[in-house]
Amino acid sequence: MPRIKKQTFQAPKGMRDILPEEQVYWDKFFRVAHHLAEDYGWQKIETPVVEQAELFARGTGQTTEIVTKQMYTLRTSGGDRLALRPEGTPGVMRAYLENGLANMPQPVKLYYFGPMFRYEQPQAGRWREFFHFGVETVGEAAPVLDVQIIQFCFHLFRSLGLKKINVQVNSIGCQQCRSPYRRALVDYYRYRKNKICPDCQKRLKENPLRLLDCKEEKCQPVKAQAPAVIDYLCEECHRHFKEVLEFLDELEIPYFLNSALVRGLDYYTKTIFEFFMEDEAGALQMVLGGGGRYDNLLKEMGGKPTPAVGMALGVDRIILAMRKEQVRVAPAYNPKVFLVQLGDMGKRKSLKLFETLHQAGVIAAESFSRDSIKAQLKIADRLGVKFSLILGQQEALDETVIIRDMQSGVQETVPQLKVIDEIKKRLAKK
Ligand code: HAM
């Protein structure tokens, strides 16, 4: 017989398993974020994990790194070219247009959570599959809505126990202020062409605004001296940004006005912002999330001109931050009693009793695959439960259960019909 080679498998590069031990942090994040988003008036939406690849080229931007270098694309056997979503906003906007949400009272406020995929070089805090929690407020241009999103994020970070958060804001204006700015930027870079990387030389020709998100070491000194878009804002963008800053002051949200802040996606107009985690010394570490206004995207996607603003948080990074800050999380599994069973009949009755206890709201631990009473009581001890319920052959016949106080070792036999009341009474006293 030919020898079959044993094959082992690993998760794809940059993707990982989230094991039960880490789930308590994820659970806390969802609980807090979902409730808070609902309290602020955002409603949940789910969109497919794959969309037509063209949606991202049009939405996220044809010349962005996300689309040119990081998108996972595939061709179906039917010939469609799809992409694993690298971000949520274009899909949510497609859903807004496709489902006629433009006909609902505006603004339409939506939030979402789910995996995103970017083919990046994995490193600490950067994965190829990662999770976004995002909100989008669609259909209104008022600056107060930009601020509400920043306020929500700030509130959320605080509720999660993350205190060292640095908020950076900027305005990148609208198309009207962008043309004189683009000219100034091109003029500036044209004379420094030999000091920038090949990618930036390409950006200079194709999409000069992208020059500002180059991460190459070589380009940083040139970038640092480049003209800032904030100096080129038109009257309307200037007024909008001024109001945003006034609202932030009113809310006493500490922010940094960073005129060098840019975002790696094409659709932004006016306000943009990012949330950073600071270290002990106040130095910026990871970006935990970001967003901004995108008043032209819906029109670009074939809809009527519709202003919108939103953000997405990198949940994996927030979980890293929560662990680093050692925020308190409730254990996911916190049984109050342990069900010990002996013999065939005891086991059968225990399965039923487990369900009855659960229905009555009493979480019981068990080890149904074990037969020895000693081994089972040892587990009960380790779990730190207050009581064990022992159901053996005799108890099964008599329709009784033994309640054992784990601290004192005192045991008492009670009728099965009364065990829920008894155990609840005792647990309430402990
Ligand atoms: P983004 O800045 O590309 O924005 O992503 C938001 C956050 O996702 C980042 O700040 C970062 O925390 C996290 N993130 C990005 N890439 C990775 C990665 N490879 N591994 C782990 N975390 C990552 C957006 O995607 C926009 N859709 C936000 C938005 C919504 N703007 C308006 N509405």
Side-chain angles (χ1 to χ4, degrees):
M1 240 174 70
R3 275 187 59 193
I4 300 171
K5 210 173 139 211
K6 242 201 207 158
Q7 190 181 358
T8 56
F9 295 97
Q10 284 164 347
K13 188 172 170 189
M15 303 193 185
R16 70 202 202 287
D17 307 306
I18 301 168
L19 297 176
E21 164 262 332
E22 197 182 313
Q23 294 291 346
V24 282
Y25 293 93
W26 289 79
D27 285 349
K28 175 158 181 165
F29 176 84
F30 296 142
R31 231 184 8 257
V32 178
H34 285 214
H35 280 137
L36 204 60
E38 301 267 347
D39 288 352
Y40 273 70
W42 282 287
Q43 290 183 303
K44 192 167 183 191
I45 183 164
E46 270 172 27
T47 62
V49 172
V50 289
E51 296 273 0
Q52 284 176 29
E54 184 53 28
L55 174 72
F56 300 107
R58 188 93 72 83
T60 312
Q62 192 79 62
T63 58
T64 55
E65 290 234 316
I66 294 179
V67 170
T68 53
K69 297 190 180 155
Q70 299 175 348
M71 207 152 72
Y72 285 84
T73 53
L74 60 106
R75 197 163 290 276
T76 65
S77 37
D80 294 333
R81 195 169 161 266
L82 303 180
L84 297 189
R85 59 180 181 197
E87 58 138 344
T89 311
V92 174
M93 292 310 113
R94 183 216 25 84
Y96 174 91
L97 293 174
E98 188 175 337
N99 296 290
L101 300 185
N103 302 321
M104 310 262 288
Q106 308 289 304
V108 171
K109 295 175 77 176
L110 303 166
Y111 77 95
Y112 53 92
F113 168 80
M116 305 291 153
F117 302 86
R118 294 184 191 173
Y119 190 80
E120 300 199 70
Q121 208 40 49
Q123 60 182 59
R126 188 189 290 164
W127 291 273
R128 289 183 174 176
E129 182 192 27
F130 59 96
F131 288 77
H132 267 176
F133 184 92
V135 308
E136 314 288 353
T137 302
V138 194
E140 293 280 2
V144 67
L145 297 178
D146 312 11
V147 176
Q148 187 183 43
I149 291 180
I150 299 175
Q151 182 191 25
F152 165 78
C153 293
F154 204 68
H155 194 159
L156 175 60
F157 287 128
R158 247 191 347 227
S159 309
L160 289 172
L162 297 176
K163 295 185 199 88
K164 297 182 199 126
I165 300 297
N166 176 304
V167 190
Q168 306 226 338
V169 291
N170 192 18
S171 171
I172 54 164
C174 64
Q175 248 140 20
Q176 200 194 324
C177 22
R178 208 89 44 90
S179 351
Y181 175 63
R182 191 180 287 116
R183 265 198 306 277
L185 197 64
V186 170
D187 276 352
Y188 170 84
Y189 267 91
R190 196 181 288 137
Y191 293 105
R192 291 157 183 88
K193 235 177 181 170
N194 53 353
K195 294 191 177 137
I196 55 179
C197 70
D199 269 354
C200 275
Q201 299 195 359
K202 220 167 120 203
R203 288 181 184 121
L204 184 56
K205 273 199 220 129
E206 290 172 6
N207 189 351
L209 294 177
R210 287 266 85 78
L211 286 161
L212 300 170
D213 51 50
C214 179
K215 308 273 184 305
E216 282 291 323
E217 198 74 39
K218 181 180 178 186
C219 301
Q220 299 315 306
V222 184
K223 207 173 95 178
Q225 300 297 321
V229 66
I230 200 155
D231 296 327
Y232 291 79
L233 295 187
C234 67
E235 219 178 300
E236 154 59 17
C237 289
H238 191 271
R239 187 194 53 77
H240 186 102
F241 195 44
K242 191 164 158 267
E243 266 187 61
V244 166
L245 300 183
E246 280 167 6
F247 281 124
L248 288 174
D249 288 336
E250 183 68 33
L251 287 170
E252 295 180 31
I253 292 178
Y255 63 85
F256 293 85
L257 202 170
N258 176 358
S259 61
L261 183 70
V262 285
R263 306 264 302 132
L265 306 96
D266 261 358
Y267 45 65
Y268 291 110
T269 50
K270 296 185 176 168
T271 322
I272 55 167
F273 48 84
E274 271 182 343
F275 302 95
F276 289 81
M277 170 92 182
E278 282 181 353
D279 67 12
E280 307 300 319
L284 299 187
Q285 285 189 314
M286 280 184 297
V287 190
L288 298 184
R293 185 159 274 289
Y294 51 97
D295 290 345
N296 298 329
L297 178 59
L298 279 141
K299 189 167 151 248
E300 300 269 312
M301 285 174 55
K304 283 194 287 202
T306 313
V309 57
M311 68 84 199
L313 298 174
V315 183
D316 308 68
R317 293 184 183 182
I318 292 179
I319 302 296
L320 275 182
M322 286 166 73
R323 299 192 78 162
K324 191 153 175 255
E325 293 290 296
Q326 300 184 331
V327 306
R328 284 247 306 269
V329 285
Y333 181 59
N334 190 15
K336 298 282 181 280
V337 301
F338 191 93
L339 206 49
V340 177
Q341 38 70 39
L342 294 162
D344 279 352
M345 261 171 66
K347 191 169 303 228
R348 251 180 283 151
K349 291 271 182 197
S350 294
L351 273 173
K352 185 82 194 137
L353 181 57
F354 178 86
E355 198 185 316
T356 316
L357 283 163
H358 190 261
Q359 276 164 3
V362 181
I363 307 203
E366 45 69 34
S367 182
F368 287 139
S369 58
R370 286 196 168 69
D371 294 326
S372 124
I373 184 165
K374 208 167 138 202
Q376 292 181 65
L377 284 173
K378 212 163 142 189
I379 300 172
D381 245 350
R382 207 177 55 219
L383 287 172
V385 295
K386 307 280 180 231
F387 299 98
S388 281
L389 299 176
I390 305 169
L391 220 163
Q393 206 77 348
Q394 193 58 50
E395 288 75 29
L397 284 172
D398 298 347
E399 302 201 337
T400 58
V401 182
I402 299 171
I403 300 182
R404 178 188 173 94
D405 184 315
M406 293 301 287
Q407 207 174 8
S408 64
V410 173
Q411 301 195 160
E412 193 185 331
T413 303
V414 298
Q416 274 173 26
L417 281 176
K418 287 200 175 150
V419 70
I420 299 280
D421 285 347
E422 273 301 322
I423 200 76
K424 278 189 163 173
K425 226 186 299 167
R426 289 170 200 226
L427 281 171
K429 275 192 212 148
K430 281 271 172 182

